[in-house]
Amino acid sequence: MRFLLLLALLLSCSADRDTRERLEFWALGREGEVVAEMIPEFERRNPGIDVVVQQIPWSAAHEKLLTAYVGESTPDIAQMGNTWIPEFHAMRALEELPPAVVDRSDYFPGIWETNVIDGKLYGIPWYVDTRVLFYRSDILAAAGFPRAPRTWDEWRQAMARIAERRLSHFPILLPTNEFEQVEVLAMTNGSTLLNADRTRGAFRQPPFAEAFAFYVGLFRSGFAPAVSNAEIANIYQQFAAGDFAMWITGPWNVGECKRRLPPEIQGKWATAPLPARDAGAPTGVSMAGGSSLILFRGTRHRAAAEALIRFLSEPAQQVRFFELTGDLPARRSAWNAPALVGDPYFPAFRAQLERVQPLPKVPEWEQIATAIFDRGEAAARGVTSVPVALAQLDAKADTLLEKRRWMLSRRPSSAASRHLLPASGEKDAGAASAPLSRLRERVARSAG
Amino acid sequence: MRAESRAGLLFVAPALLLILVFFFVPVIAGFALSLTDFDLYTIGDPHNLRFLALRNYGELLGSDIFWTAFINTLYFALVGGPLTVAVSLGAALLVNAKLTRWKSLFRTVYFAPVVTTLVAVAIVFKYLYHPRFGILNRALGAVGIPGIDWLGNPKVAMLAIILLAVWRGFGYTMIIFIAGLQNIPDELYEAARIDGAGAWRQFRHITVPMLGPTFLFVGVVVAIGQMQIFAEPYVMTRGGPLNKTLSLVMLMYEQGFKFWRMGYAAAVAFILFLLIGGATLLQMRLQEKR
């Protein structure tokens, strides 16, 4: 017995002396659970690398990543919602990536673009997320639309006809607490949401103002109910009951609808790309969501981390990841998988992904977006008028972006330093020095 | 300086030093931080720090979300505070009553929630509050009252949080009340009984006045605790629905650790500090007058 214990002790000691390169990888939520199943294959192919996956729940992920960076306990590589990249870039928490790390041409351009700030690449798309139109095909057919509306005119017509013939309680559902609804309409109408410098709101300008008026109009004409998600008890039950005929939502609801809609409704719902502003465009423009893989600044395992990114980006692994999680692949070639091509609901996403656009790449965007749904709700409920709401949005955005304007005004106006944050071409010498002292050094260097 | 007073100073020095390092320094640093715009950009480059004087406070007092959080916090404190005091006093009187048996058992049972982990408690309460399967709605259904979406309905979510907070917190103040009750000499009650005072008059004219200092202590402790409410809504509702359970500390946490606007968050913290200080002073004044 004592001999066995001694043996176990010896074995555990030798296990501690693992000579493999240790790569720390933080992944979020369900993706974190699933990716752990894919790692053994990577380690088999790269015997010199030991990947340690830490799973972080989505609800705590953002704060955890932020505090980890400030507290200097970041992993080498992490999954990150692609809308967070501007924020971490502003803190200079991210390592720039060489574009050649993967085959760029295979990626959807709008999704790729979310990882690029001022011409530099900071992340590789891992999986994608966007919004499309979900609709009750039986109701639209009864309204004289055998296929989904393709332009805003057709869309409004379809809604008017559904309302007129009382084919459903409300033609469309646009939850008032989701800023995504306004965002996709505005982007479809050509709005950039902020000005070119990303220092002021562009909400009173025609592209946004028109889309906002269209959105508010849907509530005022009674096509959409002014309710937030909190007031909807069971959205699937209501979709099945015909409380609303159309709905703008994301890929997770394909699985939910398949599972939760009663059998008699199966086959009576469909997905379509967002309607275009007019016949000049193939589809509307949706948002480029999803997660990217990023390297934290100061990682000492760059090569190993890039190898892991390459592995997870392989089309075969992307397909496997889709099968395990239901998350849509970021690469076009992975979309040839039978599970995606053969499904009636995913082709709409495939078409939409060719026309997605990143949200404005400023750390303040989430706060501005909160104001968008707040003002949108106020206008939809008739508490404020459209022009007042738009002016309030611009005022709010301008307040939040005041710091960016100040930072921009301080920089010399040469073309090279138009970027809000100074170019970071040179590599850091000390890999893991404190962020603040490291940056003070850098500032001194660039000033000298 | 006399040798005696020097020795006295030496004895209090460790405590004073601790207060200085762990109270005055952070408070002053926090106030200094609240006068700046320390944020994400500052972490990226320290030169992006500006001195704003009182602009954070101006922006804060002009924002709707601050007043929502302020009113929610006051609502929680003004409903939850007195309720905690009333429930714990009631429990203390019952536990301390002459007729009660197994006093120590009840004392332990009522005190147990104080020392349980809040997250575990919150999960259990989430089950209790569940709109369809929760025992609360089952009970309401049994007597024919339609169920309530306790945590999802903007009108009742804060009440649900208050119930949880009172249940979890009253044990602590109960123990303090029991200590206060046990300090009241029996002779007073005896004399009152001889004079013909009933239970209510004994309570009104002996128990309550004799508990005066205890009330002050409990009032201050409860008020401070209530105004700092954070964990309950953070775990149960994340401030929702419609920001109806967003408290000042949650607002501070959100601005500080979600958006990393440390200067702005420090301004929230400082306002909260003034608020709690003000409430404490007010209570002490009221107590003095009596």
Side-chain angles (χ1 to χ4, degrees):
Chain A
M1 188 63 208
R2 192 169 292 170
F3 169 74
L4 275 178
L5 274 175
L6 202 67
L7 190 71
L9 197 69
L10 273 174
L11 280 174
S12 70
C13 279
S14 64
D16 279 347
R17 254 183 270 118
D18 192 338
T19 51
R20 291 182 299 168
E21 188 174 357
R22 203 181 132 101
L23 191 63
E24 228 182 294
F25 177 25
W26 286 7
L28 316 180
R30 173 92 183 116
E31 286 82 30
E33 285 167 31
V34 163
V35 79
E37 294 174 35
M38 301 169 68
I39 292 301
E41 166 71 7
F42 173 75
E43 287 178 336
R44 196 182 55 73
R45 283 201 234 164
N46 299 274
I49 304 174
D50 171 29
V51 181
V52 183
V53 180
Q54 190 174 329
Q55 189 229 354
I56 299 169
W58 266 107
S59 55
H62 184 258
E63 282 110 295
K64 174 101 180 150
L65 287 169
L66 269 171
T67 38
Y69 175 66
V70 177
E72 293 172 50
S73 53
T74 48
D76 301 293
I77 171 172
Q79 170 192 357
M80 185 177 278
N82 63 17
T83 49
W84 303 351
I85 289 177
E87 198 175 340
F88 284 84
H89 170 256
M91 287 195 298
R92 302 200 190 164
L94 305 180
E95 195 84 40
E96 199 191 328
L97 292 167
V101 83
V102 290
D103 173 16
R104 183 192 166 154
S105 63
D106 198 25
Y107 285 81
F108 299 106
I111 300 286
W112 184 269
E113 195 48 40
T114 58
N115 299 280
V116 178
I117 297 174
D118 296 330
K120 298 201 172 77
L121 181 67
Y122 293 98
I124 301 295
W126 189 16
Y127 66 86
V128 298
D129 173 20
T130 191
R131 303 289 150 98
V132 300
L133 191 67
F134 281 54
Y135 64 100
R136 283 283 299 273
S137 41
D138 54 337
I139 295 179
L140 260 90
F145 284 84
R147 48 161 188 75
R150 284 188 192 157
T151 62
W152 280 15
D153 281 342
E154 274 184 34
W155 200 11
R156 210 177 341 217
Q157 232 172 44
M159 287 187 245
R161 222 168 297 159
I162 291 169
E164 201 178 288
R165 299 184 189 170
R166 298 180 190 285
L167 294 169
S168 73
H169 215 74
F170 288 99
I172 191 165
L173 176 73
L174 303 162
T176 51
N177 62 332
E178 288 187 3
F179 44 73
E180 290 89 348
Q181 316 283 347
V182 188
E183 282 170 353
V184 297
L185 290 174
M187 292 194 297
T188 294
N189 203 32
S191 171
T192 53
L193 305 166
L194 299 183
N195 68 359
D197 272 350
R198 289 170 281 149
T199 54
R200 282 187 185 277
F203 299 116
R204 268 172 301 179
Q205 284 165 29
F208 187 89
E210 273 171 37
F212 192 76
F214 177 77
Y215 171 80
V216 172
L218 297 181
F219 292 94
R220 298 218 178 142
S221 7
F223 293 167
V227 294
S228 71
N229 276 331
E231 296 164 73
I232 301 165
N234 186 331
I235 205 155
Y236 307 100
Q237 229 167 46
Q238 298 198 10
F239 192 42
D243 276 355
F244 56 92
M246 289 181 271
W247 180 26
I248 297 173
T249 185
W252 67 91
N253 267 325
V254 170
E256 293 295 315
C257 283
K258 282 181 184 169
R259 208 168 22 253
R260 297 207 195 184
L261 295 182
E264 63 271 19
I265 298 300
Q266 297 298 342
K268 292 183 182 165
W269 64 281
T271 56
L274 295 177
R277 177 71 183 85
D278 47 52
T283 71
V285 178
S286 194
M287 42 177 273
S291 280
S292 294
L293 296 167
I294 56 100
L295 301 193
F296 267 106
R297 203 174 187 78
T299 170
R300 291 186 192 155
H301 308 287
R302 233 195 125 104
E306 282 179 16
L308 181 59
I309 290 183
R310 266 196 299 277
F311 169 76
L312 292 173
S313 304
E314 280 172 15
Q317 299 304 327
Q318 291 256 302
V319 172
R320 171 127 195 264
F321 192 62
F322 164 72
E323 285 163 359
L324 290 169
T325 59
D327 290 333
L328 301 178
R331 298 183 69 142
R332 291 193 182 101
S333 49
W335 277 82
N336 298 330
L340 282 162
V341 177
D343 186 283
Y345 302 107
F346 288 122
F349 287 91
R350 173 71 180 75
Q352 188 67 65
L353 283 166
E354 294 293 348
R355 282 179 60 77
V356 291
Q357 206 173 290
L359 295 167
K361 286 178 267 184
V362 292
E364 296 87 354
W365 182 251
E366 198 183 332
Q367 291 176 77
I368 299 176
T370 311
I372 293 183
F373 88 68
D374 177 60
R375 290 298 87 199
E377 182 173 23
R381 289 185 196 271
V383 181
T384 54
S385 69
V386 169
V388 171
L390 291 171
Q392 286 170 333
L393 273 181
D394 267 334
K396 176 84 185 170
D398 289 359
T399 312
L400 285 167
L401 294 169
E402 187 271 335
K403 179 117 188 205
R404 287 181 75 80
R405 289 198 296 281
W406 173 74
M407 283 165 52
L408 194 68
S409 72
R410 280 198 321 155
R411 314 231 173 263
S413 57
S414 74
S417 52
R418 288 278 297 158
H419 306 314
L420 285 170
L421 296 155
S424 50
E426 79 273 44
K427 291 277 167 291
D428 271 356
S433 60
L436 289 185
S437 59
R438 200 194 310 151
L439 292 162
R440 240 174 255 131
E441 243 174 61
R442 165 190 299 269
V443 169
R445 243 186 292 150
S446 63
Chain B
M1 206 187 281
R2 285 203 351 247
E4 244 172 63
S5 55
R6 216 176 304 149
L9 259 181
L10 206 67
F11 277 116
V12 293
L16 284 180
L17 195 73
L18 281 177
I19 291 177
L20 183 76
V21 172
F22 291 105
F23 179 74
F24 284 102
V25 171
V27 166
I28 292 166
F31 181 65
L33 189 65
S34 75
L35 303 179
T36 70
D37 68 347
F38 194 101
D39 61 3
L40 286 167
Y41 298 115
T42 317
I43 294 169
D45 179 349
H47 285 80
N48 288 329
L49 186 71
R50 280 181 299 175
F51 177 74
L52 294 181
L54 295 175
R55 214 165 78 196
N56 277 333
Y57 292 90
E59 196 186 321
L60 201 54
L61 297 179
S63 76
D64 295 340
I65 192 88
F66 170 77
W67 291 109
T68 307
F70 182 81
I71 288 166
N72 288 343
T73 307
L74 277 192
Y75 175 42
F76 182 82
L78 292 180
V79 176
L83 200 61
T84 305
V85 172
V87 171
S88 53
L89 179 61
L93 288 170
L94 287 177
V95 169
N96 205 44
K98 291 228 158 55
L99 293 173
T100 308
R101 300 173 72 187
W102 305 309
K103 282 182 184 179
S104 52
L105 172 76
F106 281 109
R107 228 168 25 216
T108 314
V109 166
Y110 289 148
F111 192 71
V114 179
V115 289
T116 48
T117 322
L118 183 87
V119 177
V121 170
I123 289 170
V124 172
F125 266 73
K126 266 187 157 175
Y127 282 123
L128 297 181
Y129 284 144
H130 192 284
R132 277 175 66 203
F133 311 113
I135 196 164
L136 265 172
N137 277 359
R138 288 269 172 94
L140 287 178
V143 291
I145 301 170
I148 299 169
D149 186 1
W150 291 94
L151 296 173
N153 183 334
K155 292 198 185 92
V156 296
M158 191 51 120
L159 279 175
I161 299 276
I162 289 173
L163 279 184
L164 162 67
V166 169
W167 176 82
R168 198 179 114 81
F170 83 90
Y172 177 70
T173 38
M174 177 196 76
I175 295 290
I176 300 170
F177 273 127
I178 290 177
L181 287 174
Q182 285 172 350
N183 273 337
I184 304 175
D186 267 345
E187 297 89 74
L188 292 179
Y189 291 107
E190 241 166 70
R193 267 200 304 279
I194 290 166
D195 287 347
W200 168 247
R201 297 192 62 183
Q202 284 179 34
F203 174 74
R204 175 73 191 77
H205 295 289
I206 298 173
T207 311
V208 173
M210 290 302 282
L211 281 178
T214 316
F215 270 116
L216 175 67
F217 178 74
V218 165
V220 170
V221 168
V222 168
I224 291 175
Q226 300 277 319
M227 294 218 203
Q228 290 181 337
I229 174 187
F230 170 74
E232 289 88 350
Y234 180 76
V235 177
M236 304 277 283
T237 57
R238 294 254 153 184
L242 300 177
N243 287 332
K244 281 291 188 243
T245 57
L246 183 85
S247 70
L248 279 175
V249 183
M250 274 201 76
L251 178 70
M252 174 179 83
Y253 174 81
E254 236 179 41
Q255 289 295 331
F257 293 99
K258 191 167 164 203
F259 302 124
W260 217 262
R261 296 176 71 188
M262 281 297 176
Y264 195 70
V268 181
F270 210 77
I271 290 180
L272 187 68
F273 172 74
L274 293 181
L275 199 67
I276 292 175
T280 310
L281 275 180
L282 186 75
Q283 275 179 333
M284 291 174 86
R285 280 283 155 75
L286 285 178
Q287 204 69 25
E288 267 168 24
K289 270 195 193 142
R290 270 209 259 157

